[in-house]
Amino acid sequence: MTAFRDARFRRLYVGDALSGFGDTALLLALGIWVKDLTGSNSAAGAVFLAMGLPVLFAPLAGRQIDRVRRKPLLMATNAIAGLAVLALLLVRTAEHTWIIYGVAIVHGCVAIVLMAGRNALLKDLLPDRDLASANAAFGTLFGFTRILAPLVGSGIYAAFGGHLLALVDALTFLAAITALATVRVVESPPEPTGERFGSELLAGLRYIRSVPLLSQVTVISAVAFGAVGFLEPIIFVVVEDGLQRPAAFFGVIVSVQGIGSIVAGFTGAWLLRRVGEARAIGGALIGLGLGCATLAVGATPVVLGGAIGIGLAVTWFSIGWNTTLQRHTPSRLQGRVFTTAGMLVTVPQTAAIGVAAGLIVVVDYRFLLAALSLVILLSGLRLLTHPKPTPEATPADGDPASAAGPVPPDPVPADDLVPADDPVPLGDPVPGGVLPSRRD
């Protein structure tokens, strides 16, 4: 993976590995924690709903990411997240589940800033030719994390409860802050402040609409992940009713998904080179639909095999999605484009979680799985067979980006300005400069 040639990327990667491990171990346990406290599948599924609610305000976060120096912003965000998870130490009975939901909401806010910020960091840190490699590396990391973290998290939760997990996660946020402090890069110029608030807020949406590839990928992904949202509450029913397993077996399913994620991480950059961004995303959605369909089979080996396929497909999708947005968006719009695109995809998914939490009480989960699998399959087939052409390069002034306001040319890639082992400190940014990172 060519991105690892840059020492700064390696340091960022290590910090993300540590914090991602703690996050995954804790956050996947939150649903189990609520299930144990309340005995309700719907209440457990609502944890994922709470995590998704902040996406409604994602464009506000994107605007801020594009207007300030991102390194201190992301370091502060990590600190806030670390303090927030410590509130879980107060959870004792079912009456305290509101604290778990509150932490889930904070995590949703944090994830928006960290995801968009890290992708913007990579845009400045690496040349475009290495972006797919970097995103694939994070896909592999995501896979290993999903294998190990749920097992460790489930073990700690079963032996000591969720309080120790909260402490571990808080420490991993500190690790992420330390890693960010060592990453040095020439930052992109910040967003000028002359535009009206509404114009700044909608710049990401206007830009996505102006680039046919981004528009198509966003709309089709929104439809597909609207269907994926049904899976969040259903998975607990699959575990308990379909497989006759305890709720904690959910952690095993998530761990097995990591196997597919690892394979996808090692093959994602190759796939993008072979078939292009749009077709790679379309193929990933088809794989996701097939994987979801296997969950309706009440046999543990089949469900675990489907989980591997889901992990493979989701990671391929993530690599293609992130690379597409990074390559075809100017640096100064990265925050708003990523958060807006994420909102357009996540809002249908979040709404579907709420609907599914009610439907699973009255509708057979196998019927719901069949319906959501069909929607995902058809979405992927459309993108695979009728992709929009890939833009030659990030638009410059006067090109489609003009719909989002004047877009100055991107700065020379950091690798062309700064040797990897002798970087310019972030404390000495380009005049008016701004930038940095995290999560998948």
Side-chain angles (χ1 to χ4, degrees):
M1 295 182 179
T2 56
F4 281 106
R5 296 171 183 168
D6 192 312
R8 298 165 299 166
F9 176 78
R10 296 195 297 269
R11 291 194 292 270
L12 176 67
Y13 192 79
V14 170
D16 218 78
L18 293 173
S19 60
F21 186 91
D23 267 4
T24 305
L26 174 66
L27 295 172
L28 293 175
L30 292 184
I32 301 173
W33 200 347
V34 170
K35 169 68 176 177
D36 288 343
L37 289 173
T38 66
S40 169
N41 288 319
S42 295
V47 171
F48 300 103
L49 176 63
M51 290 182 190
L53 285 177
V55 77
L56 296 172
F57 307 98
L60 288 172
R63 174 180 179 269
Q64 189 65 19
I65 290 169
D66 287 338
R67 287 172 60 93
V68 302
R69 291 189 62 228
R70 297 165 191 170
K71 181 175 181 176
L73 171 66
L74 295 179
M75 292 177 71
T77 302
N78 277 286
I80 291 170
L83 293 174
V85 298
L86 293 178
L88 294 171
L89 299 177
L90 302 176
V91 176
R92 292 289 185 272
T93 67
E95 295 180 353
H96 299 141
T97 53
W98 66 269
I99 298 176
I100 297 178
Y101 291 129
V103 171
I105 291 173
V106 172
H107 178 269
C109 295
V110 166
I112 290 169
V113 176
L114 296 181
M115 182 278 293
R118 189 192 70 190
N119 283 299
L121 170 61
L122 293 176
K123 175 75 172 179
D124 279 353
L125 191 68
L126 302 171
D128 280 2
R129 64 180 178 274
D130 288 340
L131 291 176
S133 170
N135 291 322
F138 279 110
T140 302
L141 170 61
F142 181 63
F144 279 112
T145 298
R146 287 180 80 85
I147 290 176
L148 299 176
L151 296 177
V152 173
S154 296
I156 294 176
Y157 178 81
F160 305 103
H163 299 126
L164 182 58
L165 278 176
L167 288 173
V168 170
D169 195 28
L171 290 175
T172 62
F173 280 108
L174 179 61
I177 293 171
T178 302
L180 276 168
T182 68
V183 175
R184 301 174 179 180
V185 61
V186 175
E187 302 185 21
S188 303
E191 165 68 12
T193 58
E195 292 185 68
R196 291 177 299 175
F197 177 80
S199 179
E200 286 184 279
L201 205 61
L202 295 176
L205 177 61
R206 292 198 305 274
Y207 183 79
I208 291 171
R209 291 181 60 188
S210 73
V211 181
L213 175 64
L214 298 186
S215 179
Q216 181 191 40
V217 167
T218 301
V219 170
I220 290 179
S221 298
V223 173
F225 277 83
V228 170
F230 277 76
L231 188 60
E232 305 288 6
I234 291 174
I235 192 64
F236 290 101
V237 184
V238 170
V239 169
E240 292 192 322
D241 296 349
L243 302 180
Q244 302 295 309
R245 303 273 186 170
F249 191 74
F250 171 59
V252 177
I253 292 177
V254 173
S255 293
V256 169
Q257 287 181 13
I259 298 173
S261 296
I262 292 171
V263 174
F266 282 114
T267 58
W270 171 86
L271 182 66
L272 286 180
R273 290 194 302 269
R274 294 286 295 180
V275 303
E277 296 152 357
R279 287 193 173 91
I281 294 173
L285 291 177
I286 291 175
L288 178 58
L290 293 174
C292 289
T294 65
L295 301 181
V297 180
T300 300
V302 176
V303 169
L304 293 180
I308 292 175
I310 290 173
L312 178 73
V314 168
T315 305
W316 270 344
F317 175 88
S318 177
I319 294 168
W321 170 267
N322 288 335
T323 304
T324 300
L325 294 182
Q326 287 167 332
R327 283 180 173 170
H328 306 302
T329 302
S331 291
R332 78 172 187 88
L333 283 173
Q334 289 276 318
R336 280 165 293 175
V337 167
F338 263 98
T339 54
T340 299
M343 181 190 71
L344 294 174
V345 171
T346 308
V347 165
Q349 182 180 6
T350 304
I353 293 173
V355 173
L359 285 179
I360 58 174
V361 179
V362 295
V363 180
D364 190 292
Y365 76 94
R366 288 165 293 190
F367 175 81
L368 294 176
L369 281 172
L372 72 89
S373 298
L374 181 61
V375 172
I376 298 170
L377 283 168
L378 292 176
S379 299
L381 186 62
R382 174 66 184 178
L383 196 54
L384 185 66
T385 58
H386 297 85
K388 297 292 185 183
T390 302
E392 296 265 332
T394 300
D397 293 335
D399 282 342
S402 60
V407 179
D410 283 348
V412 177
D415 280 11
D416 294 340
L417 293 173
V418 185
D421 296 324
D422 188 24
V424 174
L426 257 181
D428 302 322
V430 177
V434 27
L435 181 77
S437 152
R438 178 176 164 181
R439 199 82 66 241
D440 292 312

